Amino acid sequence: MKRRVPVAEPGLADPHQLFHDTSSAHGSGGFPGHRAPGGLGFSSPSQPAFLADPVSNMAVAYGSSLAAHGKELVDKNIDRFIPVTKLKYYFAVDTVYVGKKLGLLVFPYLHQDWEVQYQQDMPVAPRFDINAPDLYIPAMAFITYILVAGLALGTQDRFSPDLLGLQASSALAWLTVEVLAILLSLYLVTVNTDLTTIDLLAFSGYKMIGGVVTGLLFGRTGYYLVLSWCCVAIFVFMIRTLRLKILSEVAAEGVLVRGARNQLRMYLTMAIAAAQPLFMYWLTFHLVR
């Protein structure tokens, strides 16, 4: 006769199993899935598991090194296209310098010494030399021009964000065209000068906007009077500043040497200076009515 083996009921051990399987049973703590402290894969509750993994530590270290290398690479490329170190020099100003520089721009007739001071073959910071170019005043002048233009358009019931943006972009475009034209002229005349693009941007940005404010207060008559004074002042300022840069060979002696090349340089200096009043009038005449 065949012996019939009873079927194991759910939850009961297999009758053919010699030993009872306790791998899934409750541990010493009575919690399912609890492993003994000495078991494999145990990690301390006070330390995160990913920090205990050597591979994770290597990945974190590699990521930090990669981020530092990327930051260094970005800084190098930025400094190559945008000379941040040089720009810091043009913003090294203080309140005393700004006041004296504005006085020099309005009254350049009383100033005698126009040479830029050097220390160890490097120009001193603008706050120590009133003749040094800076970008702080041109930047503030551009922002003030936009604000005054918006105020002027508002008083004439012509204000709109699109028109104000057009004023800002137009002023910036004309400034860019002016600097590029000066660079091209210096290249064609073959002038050996230490003028940089940032220097030309600074000198071209010294356009006074006092005429617009006066026009808002006193009308067109006051606008033309103040604009005339500012035009003459900026013309004298640019002549006396650029002649030491463009006519550097004869500036120390103070006497112009005859010659076709020197005459071209002199005409170029006068043309750059004469362009400043024209741009001042072009950017402000339509704002006063």
Side-chain angles (χ1 to χ4, degrees):
M1 295 178 61
K2 294 183 180 180
R3 182 181 177 184
R4 182 172 297 179
V5 179
V7 181
E9 298 180 2
L12 298 180
D14 189 357
H16 296 284
Q17 187 174 355
L18 298 179
F19 299 97
H20 181 63
D21 185 12
T22 58
S23 61
S24 61
H26 300 314
S28 59
F31 299 98
H34 179 77
R35 295 186 180 181
L40 184 62
F42 174 80
S43 60
S44 175
S46 61
Q47 183 180 11
F50 73 93
L51 292 180
D53 190 359
V55 178
S56 299
N57 292 335
M58 292 179 59
V60 171
Y62 179 75
S64 301
S65 175
L66 187 62
H69 180 69
K71 182 179 181 300
E72 181 181 357
L73 186 63
V74 170
D75 292 340
K76 275 185 181 179
N77 291 331
I78 289 179
D79 192 68
R80 181 187 302 176
F81 297 103
I82 303 177
V84 179
T85 306
K86 294 181 179 180
L87 288 178
K88 292 181 180 179
Y89 164 81
Y90 291 93
F91 285 94
V93 301
D94 55 10
T95 306
V96 177
Y97 168 83
V98 173
K100 290 182 178 180
K101 192 73 170 188
L102 291 177
L104 178 62
L105 291 171
V106 179
F107 303 98
Y109 322 102
L110 305 178
H111 193 60
Q112 300 297 328
D113 186 13
W114 292 85
E115 293 185 1
V116 178
Q117 301 178 11
Y118 285 81
Q119 184 177 7
Q120 298 180 354
D121 297 334
M122 294 294 295
V124 299
R127 62 174 176 269
F128 301 117
D129 185 14
I130 193 176
N131 297 322
D134 71 282
L135 287 177
Y136 176 80
I137 294 179
M140 294 298 103
F142 180 79
I143 295 175
T144 306
Y145 169 78
I146 302 304
L147 296 177
V148 173
L151 180 60
L153 294 174
T155 56
Q156 301 168 10
D157 296 331
R158 296 190 298 139
F159 177 81
S160 67
D162 295 337
L163 188 57
L164 186 61
L166 181 61
Q167 294 291 330
S169 59
S170 176
L172 189 60
W174 279 112
L175 182 62
T176 304
V177 169
E178 179 185 357
V179 173
L180 292 178
I182 295 175
L183 289 175
L184 180 61
S185 302
L186 293 175
Y187 174 77
L188 294 177
V189 182
T190 63
V191 176
N192 295 324
T193 178
D194 57 351
L195 279 174
T196 63
T197 305
I198 303 179
D199 292 336
L200 295 177
L201 185 63
F203 290 133
S204 301
Y206 288 140
K207 295 179 176 63
M208 306 304 296
I209 58 173
V212 180
V213 180
T214 307
L216 294 176
L217 298 177
F218 304 104
R220 298 185 68 88
T221 303
Y223 163 75
Y224 283 113
L225 288 177
V226 175
L227 182 64
S228 300
W229 177 274
C230 293
C231 288
V232 176
I234 197 64
F235 178 81
V236 175
F237 172 82
M238 294 295 289
I239 285 288
R240 294 186 177 181
T241 300
L242 293 180
R243 72 182 181 88
L244 299 178
K245 301 291 185 179
I246 299 179
L247 302 174
S248 57
E249 295 85 358
V250 296
E253 301 177 0
V255 179
L256 293 178
V257 180
R258 294 184 179 275
R261 179 173 297 181
N262 290 331
Q263 288 183 356
L264 286 176
R265 294 177 179 178
M266 182 179 61
Y267 293 151
L268 178 59
T269 304
M270 296 183 63
I272 296 174
Q276 306 304 310
L278 296 178
F279 281 113
M280 291 174 61
Y281 176 76
W282 178 257
L283 294 175
T284 57
F285 80 97
H286 57 282
L287 298 175
V288 180
R289 290 186 178 181

